[in-house]
Amino acid sequence: VRDALWAEDKTRSRNWTLNANLAILRASLISLRSRHAASHPWPHIFEYCAHRPGIARALLDGKPFK
């Protein structure tokens, strides 16, 4: 999922710490989606959060995705 959505294998950075932190962030986002927005497709979540940044914050706070 991480590679399909965020093209993780195509990263050009050679900074191991940066790549590890981004991998952790991506895994955390996948976990949040599975708990709070499993019925919504990723493109829908990306678009909705881009237009309403407060929704992304609500997901981090554990509130369900509407």
Side-chain angles (χ1 to χ4, degrees), residues 2 5-6 12 15 30 34 37 42-43 48 54-56 58 62 64-65:
R2 289 189 333 224
L5 293 172
W6 293 290
R12 298 175 72 194
N15 184 331
I30 291 168
S34 69
W42 280 108
Y48 197 67
I55 297 299
F65 186 79

Side-chain angles (χ1 to χ4, degrees), residues 9-11 14 19 22-23 25 28 33 35 39 41-44 46 49 52 55 58-59 64-65:
D9 290 344
K10 293 182 181 181
T11 186
R14 300 283 185 224
N19 291 334
L22 287 174
L25 179 61
S28 299
R33 179 192 177 243
R35 283 187 266 148
S39 62
W42 280 108
H44 174 83
F46 289 158
C49 289
R52 299 189 62 192
I55 297 299
L59 280 173
F65 186 79

